[in-house]
Amino acid sequence: MKIQLKNFLAESRHLFVTILFLFNNLAFAQGNSIFVSGRILNAENSEPIANAAIEIVDQKVFATSKNDGTFRIGPIQSNNFRIKITHVAFQEKLIDFKSSKEDEIKLVVYLFPKTINLSPIVILDKKSTEVIDELQQYSTKLSGKELHQKLGQTIASTLKNETGLAVRSMGPAPSRPVFRGLGQDRVLITEDGMKSIDLSATSPDHAVTVEPFTSERIEVLRGPKVLSQTSTTIGGIVNIIKEEIPEQIHNQPHFLLGSYFESVNEGLLGAIKSEVPLKPFQIKFEAAQRTTSDLSTPLGILKNSASKNFSGSAGISYIEDFGFVGSGFKVYNLNYGIPGGFIGAHPFGVNIDIKKRELVFKSKINLNGLNDEVSIDFRNDYYRHREFEHSGLIGSEFRIITNSGRIVFSHLNGDVLKELETGFSFELRDFDIGGYVFTPPTKSYNLSSFIYSDFHLGRFNVDAALRISYDVVDPKIKKVSKKIGEIKKREFYNVAASISFIYKLSDIVFIGSNFSRSTRVPTIEELFSEGPHLAAYSYEVGNPYLNSERGWGFEFFVYHKFEKLNFNLNAFYNYLNSYIIPRNTGLINYQTFLPIYATSGVNAAIYGVEGSVKLNLVDRIFLQSSFSQTIGEFRDTRKPLPKIPPVKGLNQLSYETEKLTAGISNEWALSQNKVDEFEEPTAGYFVTNLFVQKIYQINKIVLNLSVNLENIFNQDYRNHLSRIKSIYPEPGRNLRIILKMYL
């Protein structure tokens, strides 16, 4: 009996200890359980991602995001854990948490799209972000948080610190990107893959008619793919993705409200953007209003540099399994000042007024499942540009009506031939001129065809493209000018080609090269100008005997993508014949007291090197650095070409998480003393900036706030590619705040 009682007490003690142990564990779990909630967004356009799978690794805890991208997962029985987020159309995301003391963790997660081949089903997103595709097509790609933080007043100011890029300007508003010393239409600006119609490529006083704030991403395209748009292979394409005509239907409406403030010019912007599904239709509209006052510089106020801009668009698409058919309308109004106060300039400057109207038709039809498709684009553009003296009199007036379009057949995702595009394009342009400009009204025509292919051969990737074009420039008034020669109809036949090779040494190391033949037809202004250009403060003399610009380009690059270190290095050489440039002759037209710029075709060489690196120093701290050097020379004399940017770069130290990015950066440039005969040299500079970006989530609303303090020491420095750098310093100390709210 004693033995039985002793056994019972022992078993009871064991049972009590076990119950106590389980109770303590349960109490601990309940007291330390962690939940994670948040929203999952597309990194390219900040739209919500539905049906993403969320997993707590090694704990068998799962959840799925809703139609609006929101999710909540838990309970999580550990302070140290890893979240894995996957989606069939997006790249996997891993997030580690160490010693979390919060009971509820809130996240905003950005996923990048990817291309997946699943035989026999193909699931294809719009753009792949695999390393091989980045090397094939892009030298720069801004989207999501990075684009938000770098947004500036113009496309050029947004891209100014990207590797190889510089800014041509004549004041804050009329700025345009320059790539590796190549400007004008050697750098083509497109919206949603179609050429943006304006006069920004022809003169430094003309502005780009694109509002960057409402863009979803900005791409700088390089390599053979540029031949689908232009025959100038040595330059590139700046493509602004806005998707003003919808290509897909969402499950629910999306709204964007945004604002922008700059202290340096008291700049203000308000914007709204919306997509509304009415199946099978998708409707999209956007509007943005921007105003700026005169620019503040370290030397004082730059008078007559204010601007006012309104842009708006509306588009509708019918979307079914076969593809989509859509149409849209766009308006763009811009009024801005060109500063005066230097030799040849009007004392009070000049004002420019631009009005642009655009009607667009777009369609994409699937032919064989998702492998083959036909795209059709057509645009009608009306562009009017007037330049006013301070008295209100019109000095120059330009009116352009352009009809352009293209048809493209695409084949995707073969075994060896990964992509094939072939197409036909046309452009009909009616160019009329008024005021005190003596360039004759002219009609021009372009017909082009192209083919592009992408082959994957084991570790080799080969891209190749060919473009054939026929151009006619037909002035309405034929005559013999005593100043420039015979003005007559000109015809140009051109063939451009490009081929690139990329070899995959390993999963993280790539080397490659690109060979190209580049061509470019002279513009109407380069051929036939003969008189004063009011806002450019120059007397322009064209050359009606110019031939097409032709040349050869070579590029070699190395790209490494390690776990904590990414870097790339590029070297390039361009050998050009009949390189078309307007040069300051050093002469003055004494009727107008303007410096004479004469256009000529010269033999030139443009070469250089550029590179960038990003190093993960510790945990979430990153060091980035980039540099670019371009040398331009007349081949016959080895003397410098005009308007070549100096050696320049960017250094940046940043702290980066999913919801917070903060850091310090400095823009730097060396002095540029290699200048043309009548070109001013420029001193070097070192400008320091601070930035912080924070993402907030309030229920289903996501707020993206970026605060930038630029040129914090208010340094006086000059942009070598500014026509008015003698009186126009770059902006002084500037507080720039950008806010976007996604609903």
Side-chain angles (χ1 to χ4, degrees), residues 12 81 94 203 211 302 322 330 386 390 432 571 647 650 732:
S12 298
F81 59 92
L94 295 173
S203 183
E211 172 53 65
L302 184 67
F322 71 86
K330 178 178 178 179
R386 294 182 294 173
H390 182 69
D432 204 358
V647 180
L650 177 76

Side-chain angles (χ1 to χ4, degrees), residues 132-156:
I132 197 74
D133 296 303
E134 292 177 359
L135 295 175
Q136 284 174 263
Q137 298 181 20
Y138 308 113
S139 60
T140 297
K141 184 177 181 181
L142 296 181
S143 61
K145 293 192 297 182
E146 185 180 13
L147 173 60
H148 179 96
Q149 188 262 320
K150 294 182 177 181
L151 274 172
Q153 180 180 344
T154 64
I155 293 295

Side-chain angles (χ1 to χ4, degrees), residues 3 69 76 121 158 198 209 244 246 259 292 300 418 434 441 484 514 551 671:
I3 294 174
I76 304 166
I121 301 171
T158 301
D198 53 42
T209 56
E244 291 170 335
S259 62
T292 70
K418 292 294 181 181
I484 65 173
N514 180 60
S671 60

